[in-house]
Amino acid sequence: MTPSFYDEGALVAVLTTQPLDRALDYRAPEGGCHLGAFVEVPLGPRKVLGVVWGPGKGDYDYAKVRSVLRVLDAAPMRDEMRSFLEKAAVYTLTPMPAMLRLATRAPGLGDPPSMRKVYRRGEAEPDRMTDARRRVLEFLGEYGDLAFTLKELAELSGVTSSVIKGLVKQGAVAEEDSPRDLPFPPMDPSRPGKALTDDQARASSHIAGAVRSEAYGTTLLRGVTGSGKTEVYLEAVAACLASGRQALVLLPEIALTAEFLKRVEERFGARPAEWHSGATMTERRRIWRMVGQGNAQLVIGARSALFLPYQNLGLIVVDEEHDTSYKQEEGVLYNARDMAVLRASLLGAQVVLASATPSLESWANAESGKYTRLDLEARFGPAVMPTMATIDMRAEKLPSNRWVSEELKRAVNQRLERGEQAMLFLNRRGYAPITLCRACGHQVGCDQCDARMVEHRFLKRLMCHQCGETKPMPTVCPSCEAEDRMAPVGPGVERLGEEAVELFPEARVAVLSSDMYGSARALKAEIETIAEGGADVIIGTQLVAKGHNFPSLTLVGVIDADLGLQGSDLRAAERTFQLMRQVAGRAGRAEKPGTALLQTYQPEHPVIRAILAGDEEGFWRAEAAQREAAGVPPYGRMAGIILSGPDVAQVFDLANALARNTGPLQRVGAQVFGPAPAPIARVRGRHRVRLLVKAGKGVALQSAIAQWVGQVRLKGDLRLAVDIDPQSFY
């Protein structure tokens, strides 16, 4: 049995965040250290972060073993968390140091507690009373012994900071040092929630009962858009908090958090911890520490919140569980939905997967009885599902620079006359996807990638959506040097926004795209403004399909419903179905009924017909039958191997060597396809080659792949990444 404490001088194995192939032996420091302790250790001339992972191996000259420098002031990593990281590493074929980096993504973990100045009522009275001074003292008097930061106190009492500093000099206000990393305010699960419908009450009672059982289980909560899934799982959160355990709600998009946080605060009387890329470094450090101490009861976060050091996690909600942004496509390649299920199974916690349009994987798991399935069939309150129809673009006579049909234009005008909002949806960022020379046909591509550059007119530049490289808009063709012949081809949301301004000159037009706002906070603020009626026509990408509630929105027009049906992605039909149903679901979420109009050149396509019919079960059954016949996920296993390097010949040589030596894969009955250039064959100057591995559902694929790729040695700048259960094939 692994000891839980190591005395001074004992050999301990320390896993560091550095790219090494194993844990390193060190001597336990003065005072000893616990298993799981966060420590600082010497590595060459540097000091690096690590975690005590177990006893040392002792296969190194003891006299040369160096000592742990210090134990950090943080709760040791729990057994459950170490087990989760190890199992996730085995499943995704990721080196352990990379997994540990995911679990330590907060700055200054080893720093002593950070302090800040706070202000409260002092003992003395000021020598002279002014109106501003009175406001400060009365405000502090109202709040008794509570302390405020200088900025908070100045804003709340409506004075400048110099007024407060003057009162400090006179002793009327006391200035004190206080730790920055304070616990989050307690949440009150006994506060009454919203009145639930019978459907909602049944679902919430079932999930709350499962949470109270403190056993593992996964529930697929499928509810039509606007059916009140959030209220149902907030009741599960309440049950979890009431039992003294922590809860985590994962959201696919940071812009969703503003409205959601308000609902949480109304329900529980306090704001939860927020973990995502928009959080400041100070906030991240505070959340990481408070979660580990049990002083953050509820975390709302992006996929990486799954790797926080929870002390007693009882519930994980994955909202919009079908969303592709839960798959991390760089660094550690993992799917947060699947990892949530893994972590909960180790904790004896419940998982709720919530979606109006579940992923086929979750649908199949519910069909097979692996997951419990609960359905909400009706919209909440007076709201009803939108009516849906197609506009056959083959019958429209539009000029080449127009994308909004006459029928859609009339429908938008009707909404504007009634004071309602309309949304035009196009899943394409930027102004135009292609910039073409009308003289020679040259299309402007990225210098670093094999991808066309997208015009972003608000930036006045071309941008590569693969690597982020930008360059000025050319006035001269880079190929034939013809002047003023460069032209934008096809629409992006910025160009659609221009068209909307021309078509609806009296309307307030807002373009919502993630890359048009300098920060996540600015984007959240804009969405709040629109929800409160700050725009008449909303132009948006898939960002707007994700859970937003615009009460006045009664019309959704999809500009190009065929966009996702192109290409050979095995999930193309599923994703198009999900996206169209989700976008349509933005309409008519309040009292007024909604309409969704889909512009399409293929109105008879089976996916378009399934969207209109609303026969979700029929669509899933047909899609499942096709996938099962082909032996692909979720009825088979797949893995992508991505090889990359600056020299295309070297990359192909390595790929061919793998393709010739597939013994370990053949032994488990797996097939290998490729090598072939990736669809985007060069990204950031690196040539990319893919192989695809396909195997039966019950095959132990990871161990076979580990043996297979272990046959080749990566030389120089060659890299190999393994993507288990790939979601995209770019």
Side-chain angles (χ1 to χ4, degrees):
M1 190 172 156
T2 305
S4 61
F5 186 81
Y6 298 92
D7 293 319
E8 180 180 343
L11 271 186
V12 293
V14 175
L15 180 67
T16 71
T17 54
Q18 304 306 301
L20 303 166
D21 60 353
R22 61 194 176 93
L24 302 175
D25 278 6
Y26 288 92
R27 286 186 229 178
E30 186 180 343
C33 58
H34 283 90
L35 178 66
F38 288 88
V39 293
E40 190 175 74
V41 294
L43 187 64
R46 295 175 300 148
K47 298 174 184 176
V48 299
L49 175 71
V51 172
V52 175
W53 215 256
K57 277 194 171 178
D59 55 355
Y60 188 68
D61 181 357
Y62 184 79
K64 292 181 180 175
V65 174
R66 300 165 82 181
S67 183
V68 168
L69 296 172
R70 65 187 178 112
V71 177
L72 306 187
D73 181 23
M77 185 179 279
R78 296 163 57 80
D79 292 351
E80 161 272 316
M81 182 65 166
R82 293 200 314 283
S83 177
F84 170 56
L85 293 179
E86 285 172 347
K87 283 183 163 58
V90 168
Y91 188 86
T92 59
L93 292 177
T94 301
M96 279 302 296
M99 295 305 305
L100 184 59
R101 281 196 293 278
L102 279 181
T104 52
R105 290 177 60 178
L109 292 183
D111 297 350
S114 166
M115 307 300 279
R116 63 178 174 179
K117 300 286 184 194
V118 294
Y119 300 83
R120 65 176 85 240
R121 183 67 166 96
E123 301 284 328
E125 294 296 324
D127 58 358
R128 186 171 55 85
M129 190 63 78
T130 65
D131 186 45
R133 286 179 168 182
R134 184 178 293 104
R135 285 206 301 277
V136 174
L137 297 178
E138 283 176 358
F139 178 80
L140 287 173
E142 270 178 53
Y143 283 91
D145 203 38
L146 284 185
F148 299 86
T149 65
L150 185 63
K151 186 180 177 200
E152 284 170 341
L153 184 53
E155 282 178 0
L156 292 168
S157 50
V159 301
T160 63
S161 55
S162 58
V163 174
I164 297 163
K165 288 186 173 170
L167 287 167
V168 169
K169 281 181 185 169
Q170 302 208 353
V173 171
E175 181 183 76
E176 300 167 2
D177 285 320
S178 171
R180 271 183 199 278
D181 298 338
L182 293 171
F184 284 83
M187 313 199 90
D188 182 2
S190 64
R191 281 169 65 106
K194 288 186 180 175
L196 302 180
T197 65
D198 290 348
D199 253 11
Q200 288 176 314
R202 269 193 301 274
S204 69
S205 168
H206 183 282
I207 300 169
V211 168
R212 283 190 285 269
S213 76
E214 300 200 0
Y216 161 70
T218 296
T219 301
L220 174 61
L221 178 62
R222 191 204 69 84
V224 296
T225 50
S227 59
K229 293 183 290 295
T230 306
E231 298 308 326
V232 170
Y233 70 65
L234 284 182
E235 292 308 306
V237 169
C240 180
L241 301 184
S243 68
R245 300 183 80 183
Q246 292 166 299
L248 164 64
V249 177
L250 295 178
L251 299 176
E253 184 65 57
I254 187 176
L256 294 177
T257 54
E259 182 191 348
F260 183 73
L261 286 170
K262 276 187 191 164
R263 291 171 77 171
V264 171
E265 200 167 354
E266 283 168 17
R267 176 65 181 81
F268 299 114
R271 273 180 90 81
E274 250 188 289
W275 179 273
H276 48 63
S277 58
T280 65
M281 287 301 170
T282 307
E283 286 173 280
R284 287 171 88 87
R285 182 187 126 130
R286 176 192 176 201
I287 292 167
W288 194 93
R289 283 180 169 275
M290 292 304 116
V291 163
Q293 293 170 22
N295 288 320
Q297 293 162 283
L298 173 59
V299 177
I300 311 298
R303 60 183 178 234
S304 58
L306 198 55
F307 293 89
L308 288 170
Y310 299 94
Q311 190 188 66
N312 189 5
L313 187 60
L315 172 69
I316 305 173
V317 177
V318 185
D319 201 2
E320 310 288 354
E321 66 88 27
H322 65 277
D323 199 283
T324 53
S325 59
Y326 284 124
K327 178 68 191 266
Q328 168 104 357
E329 297 281 11
E330 286 190 350
V332 180
L333 307 178
Y334 70 93
N335 190 315
R337 178 195 66 219
D338 301 342
M339 292 299 116
V341 172
L342 171 61
R343 185 150 196 199
S345 69
L346 297 170
L347 283 163
Q350 287 289 316
V351 180
V352 174
L353 305 177
S355 176
T357 55
S359 62
L360 190 59
E361 281 83 354
S362 296
W363 181 88
N365 279 330
E367 285 288 292
S368 69
K370 236 177 163 179
Y371 297 168
T372 303
R373 175 169 161 176
L374 300 172
D375 290 295
L376 302 175
E377 295 295 357
R379 282 196 153 179
F380 184 77
V384 293
M385 290 301 289
T387 54
M388 300 183 73
T390 54
I391 298 171
D392 188 346
M393 296 301 287
R394 296 171 300 189
E396 293 285 331
K397 300 290 184 278
L398 283 179
S400 61
N401 62 342
R402 285 270 184 246
W403 289 275
V404 178
S405 64
E406 283 302 314
E407 188 179 338
L408 183 53
K409 180 184 169 185
R410 282 194 298 275
V412 172
N413 276 321
Q414 284 169 8
R415 292 339 185 259
L416 296 178
E417 284 164 17
R418 298 205 295 255
E420 296 165 6
Q421 289 176 320
M423 177 188 288
L424 300 179
F425 172 82
L426 177 65
N427 199 18
R428 205 184 255 147
R429 292 179 291 149
Y431 184 82
I434 299 169
T435 299
L436 177 104
C437 172
R438 291 209 187 277
C440 71
H442 174 76
Q443 296 178 14
V444 181
C446 175
D447 298 331
Q448 303 298 317
C449 309
D450 285 350
R452 299 185 185 106
M453 295 199 89
V454 177
E455 181 181 346
H456 283 250
R457 200 153 280 195
F458 84 102
L459 285 175
K460 301 184 176 61
R461 294 179 78 80
L462 294 172
M463 178 185 282
C464 173
H465 285 178
Q466 295 304 318
C467 69
E469 186 75 27
T470 68
K471 61 169 86 164
M473 280 294 303
T475 53
V476 174
C477 173
S479 178
C480 72
E481 299 185 353
E483 289 193 31
D484 298 321
R485 299 299 303 277
M486 305 306 292
V489 178
V493 280
E494 292 174 38
R495 196 170 194 184
L496 188 60
E498 270 185 15
E499 183 176 345
V501 169
E502 287 176 36
L503 293 177
F504 316 110
E506 303 299 313
R508 297 164 299 164
V509 176
V511 179
L512 270 183
S513 178
S514 56
D515 52 2
M516 292 185 70
Y517 294 87
S519 69
R521 289 169 196 263
L523 178 59
K524 277 163 49 172
E526 179 66 11
I527 287 169
E528 277 188 75
T529 303
I530 291 169
E532 288 162 8
D536 304 309
V537 178
I538 305 155
I539 315 285
T541 61
Q542 68 175 1
L543 171 79
V544 298
K546 299 179 181 181
H548 300 299
N549 190 17
F550 302 118
S552 302
L553 182 69
T554 58
L555 174 71
V556 169
V558 177
I559 298 303
D560 188 352
D562 309 326
L563 191 58
L565 295 173
Q566 298 146 6
S568 56
D569 187 339
L570 71 91
R571 292 184 176 86
E574 177 187 354
R575 287 189 180 144
T576 302
F577 182 81
Q578 288 165 336
L579 190 55
M580 295 300 110
R581 296 286 295 173
Q582 290 278 345
V583 172
R586 299 309 108 205
R589 291 171 73 97
E591 287 82 6
K592 297 167 187 167
T595 301
L597 297 175
L598 279 60
Q599 294 189 164
T600 174
Y601 287 91
Q602 307 174 70
E604 62 289 324
H605 193 289
V607 175
I608 301 292
R609 282 162 57 187
I611 292 164
L612 291 188
D615 180 13
E616 292 195 15
E617 292 305 312
F619 174 78
W620 293 130
R621 277 194 293 272
E623 187 70 9
Q626 283 186 5
R627 299 257 196 106
E628 196 163 10
V632 295
Y635 303 101
R637 302 208 59 198
M638 276 183 144
I641 312 297
I642 306 104
L643 304 161
S644 67
D647 182 330
V648 68
Q650 272 190 332
V651 180
F652 261 107
D653 285 348
L654 180 63
N656 285 320
L658 277 172
R660 281 193 302 270
N661 298 289
T662 58
L665 296 176
Q666 286 173 357
R667 284 194 285 277
V668 296
Q671 295 172 275
V672 178
F673 300 91
I680 299 171
R682 193 170 54 105
V683 174
R684 296 185 180 91
R686 297 180 66 81
H687 298 274
R688 303 168 72 248
V689 171
R690 290 190 69 111
L691 296 112
L692 191 64
V693 180
K694 182 170 167 252
K697 189 159 174 62
V699 168
L701 191 57
Q702 281 87 340
S703 54
I705 288 177
Q707 282 180 26
W708 176 51
V709 300
Q711 299 175 123
V712 296
R713 297 197 72 77
L714 298 178
K715 294 175 185 168
D717 205 8
L718 287 170
R719 285 187 212 142
L720 184 154
V722 180
D723 187 1
I724 302 290
D725 310 326
Q727 291 286 312
S728 67
F729 297 86
Y730 83 95

